[in-house]
Amino acid sequence: MRVLVATAVPVERDAVARAFASPPREVPLPGTTLHRVEHPAPPAEAAVAPLVDAPAATPASAPATAVPVADADAGSRYDLLAAGVGPAAAAAATGAALTAAALAGQPYDLVVSAGIGGGFPPDAPVGSVVVADEITVADLGAETADGFVSVTGLGFGTVAHHPPRSLVRDVAAATGGVTGTVLTVSTVTGSAARADELRARHPGAVAEAMEGFGVAEAAAAHGCPVLEIRTVSNPVGPRDRAAWRIPEALAALTEAFGKTVHVVESWKKHD
């Protein structure tokens, strides 16, 4: 199993890394650096059957850049990437890592967008874990006299991606997480009015962050499934720094990702 984990910033990446027993090693890529963790294979009698799906296709227009690869039989590989803040940076860095792996003949089996974010109370209180059953970009579209129209409503592309249902279900069960829509925004919500507007437009929303949709777009371009997992550091609404619990959310991210790894190890792409 080869998994790419994209966070926004290094502190989130490092929180994910702490879920593993072995320290990561750096793998340079053009424009960025992966932090790679090799996760040992289970004992032979408990080994999980291999994935059956065909590898993701390699984009024909991608530059000929290769990334060092690990022995596919040595266990699972997790490549941790601090992709940058916002959907554009996340898509660019995630796409570069996916392309490099595909060109090296070792495409990823799963892409995970991970980090901290804002939760919509009361569904996702501070400290909780959120697992996206839908990854939706909330502000890609146009303002009209009748209100906001999404880019899909305008006839240009998609605004949502859906992670595998079985994976969402099992990760949520393992982490005690809340499932629902995680919104991707380019501007973090800072008022009650904006929070109410988003919730009215997206009744299933439980959290907002800034990278999930960008990561999902890159994964979709490579035919790779995606998962988004967030731990809640603050409520969505008026910007109150005194109410933020970032260290606690990062610690929760480490714990949640450790539980997520066990689920991912046994997950089958055809489920």
Side-chain angles (χ1 to χ4, degrees):
M1 173 72 79
R2 293 179 293 272
V3 182
L4 177 64
V5 183
T7 69
V9 293
V11 291
E12 292 172 318
R13 178 200 62 205
D14 295 345
V16 171
R18 286 193 290 273
F20 297 91
S22 58
R25 63 182 177 89
E26 293 189 356
V27 178
L29 289 180
T32 189
T33 300
L34 299 175
H35 284 214
R36 176 166 295 169
V37 180
E38 308 288 355
H39 194 253
E45 63 273 14
V48 175
L51 297 174
V52 298
D53 284 12
T58 301
S61 60
T65 303
V67 57
V69 299
D71 182 356
D73 296 325
S76 297
R77 186 185 80 201
Y78 291 80
D79 285 344
L80 315 182
L81 172 67
V85 176
T94 302
L98 284 162
T99 298
L103 288 172
Q106 295 283 315
Y108 292 105
D109 299 299
L110 176 69
V111 179
V112 182
S113 176
I116 64 176
F120 285 95
D123 297 312
V126 172
S128 62
V129 178
V130 171
V131 184
D133 59 18
E134 180 177 303
I135 302 168
T136 296
V137 60
D139 49 11
L140 183 61
E143 292 289 347
T144 73
D146 297 319
F148 179 82
V149 179
S150 73
V151 72
T152 302
L154 296 172
F156 305 112
T158 185
V159 294
H161 293 278
H162 295 88
R165 287 178 293 179
S166 64
L167 186 58
V168 170
R169 179 196 64 219
D170 293 347
V171 169
T175 61
V178 176
T179 61
T181 299
V182 176
L183 302 179
T184 298
V185 295
S186 294
T187 302
V188 173
T189 299
S191 69
R194 175 60 172 167
D196 291 344
E197 178 187 353
L198 288 174
R199 203 65 188 273
R201 195 187 301 158
H202 305 281
V206 292
E208 73 168 23
M210 301 182 74
E211 295 77 34
F213 184 78
V215 173
E217 282 280 276
H222 283 258
C224 192
V226 67
L227 176 73
E228 183 170 10
I229 181 168
R230 297 279 170 180
T231 51
V232 177
S233 59
N234 58 277
V236 176
R239 196 167 174 83
D240 178 10
R241 295 177 69 93
W244 294 358
R245 297 293 181 267
I246 291 176
E248 293 86 348
L250 290 170
L253 180 61
T254 300
E255 180 180 356
F257 206 86
K259 296 173 180 177
T260 297
V261 167
H262 295 296
V263 176
V264 168
E265 296 291 307
S266 61
W267 176 65
K268 311 295 191 301
K269 285 175 69 176
H270 64 274
D271 285 356

